[in-house]
Amino acid sequence: MSTISIQDRSFGLFLSSEQIHTKIDTLASEISTDYKDKDPVFVVVLNGAFLFASFLISRLKFPCRVSFIRVNSYKGTSSSGEIQKVFGMDEELEGEHVILVDDIVDTGLTMKEVKEEILKLKPASVEIACLVSKPESHKRAIDVRYIGFEIPNRFIVGFGLDYNGYGRNLNDIYVINYP
Ligand code: IMP
Ligand code: MG
């Protein structure tokens, strides 16, 4: 299906499931090479990163540890720009190599805040992996080590990303059709 409706909006196909999985394979190979001797801990940002993280991490070539945190900052189609709180942070990250996994880096405020929280726990290193980045929308310089797709500043849905809670289950990614 190339057009879908969610509530009051229509969306067109943007990235196919095949494109997404090919890209995740590439990222998983890079991470497998870079981290094979580092015994990293993956910290996954819920809810949006659940699908990306599960496919990414299941393709790694070594056993690893995974934990989950939760942050809320979006309502409708624009970032609120305010991070409410980071929930569920594992306190045992001292000396660990951490890879933070999120669905999308939009303003970059979420990742900046989460990274600062993690740095307080004195990890050996922290890098960020995201499926999608919107560089035009970044409010601060943010160093994202592993990026699946760089896209223009448009609202997307699917493969973990939602519009008002809907669409996370879609296997492809769709972009909003502005009226
Ligand atoms: P930030 O603006 O970089 O802090 O992004 C905050 C969060 O907003 C991301 O982790 C996503 O969950 C969500 N988000 C950003 N852009 C989109 C989008 O285009 N569609 C759906 N969710 C988005
Ligand atoms: Mg998110």
Side-chain angles (χ1 to χ4, degrees):
M1 214 178 4
S2 59
T3 304
I4 57 159
S5 292
I6 301 178
Q7 295 182 333
D8 53 338
R9 301 290 192 151
S10 84
F11 297 81
L13 185 61
F14 187 59
L15 296 167
S16 70
S17 166
E18 196 187 345
Q19 284 175 282
I20 296 167
H21 285 283
T22 303
K23 189 66 80 172
I24 294 176
D25 277 341
T26 307
L27 294 177
S29 306
E30 281 175 34
I31 294 173
S32 292
T33 307
D34 297 349
Y35 281 85
K36 66 178 184 314
D37 302 316
K38 290 190 169 163
D39 190 20
V41 181
F42 288 82
V43 174
V44 178
V45 183
L46 295 173
N47 295 327
F50 81 106
L51 270 186
F52 171 51
S54 55
F55 285 106
L56 180 74
I57 294 166
S58 66
R59 285 171 201 181
L60 298 174
K61 306 215 164 56
F62 51 80
C64 68
R65 293 162 292 165
V66 186
S67 70
F68 299 89
I69 58 171
R70 194 168 173 149
V71 187
N72 280 329
S73 81
Y74 242 67
K75 285 241 159 34
T77 61
S78 66
S79 178
S80 70
E82 284 168 39
I83 314 307
Q84 286 133 11
K85 203 175 176 336
V86 180
F87 299 96
M89 188 71 82
D90 190 339
E91 300 291 318
E92 314 259 304
L93 296 175
E94 187 170 344
E96 302 283 2
H97 292 285
V98 175
I99 303 176
L100 253 173
V101 184
D102 205 355
D103 49 0
I104 187 164
V105 178
D106 179 18
T107 62
L109 296 172
T110 305
M111 280 296 96
K112 190 183 157 284
E113 182 109 354
V114 173
K115 190 172 174 179
E116 279 170 10
E117 286 293 307
I118 290 180
L119 286 171
K120 289 183 194 159
L121 303 173
K122 302 189 170 37
S125 67
V126 186
E127 297 290 353
I128 297 171
C130 70
L131 180 61
V132 181
S133 171
K134 297 182 190 172
E136 292 164 8
S137 180
H138 293 359
K139 294 212 166 130
R140 305 270 155 71
I142 175 137
D143 182 18
V144 185
R145 173 85 172 269
Y146 303 98
I147 301 174
F149 302 93
E150 288 199 323
I151 68 161
N153 190 9
R154 312 231 353 237
F155 189 79
I156 56 174
V157 72
F159 211 84
L161 293 148
D162 72 301
Y163 173 54
N164 288 340
Y166 290 89
R168 295 192 196 277
N169 60 308
L170 300 167
N171 290 310
D172 308 294
I173 290 180
Y174 294 82
V175 65
I176 198 159
N177 291 320
Y178 290 108

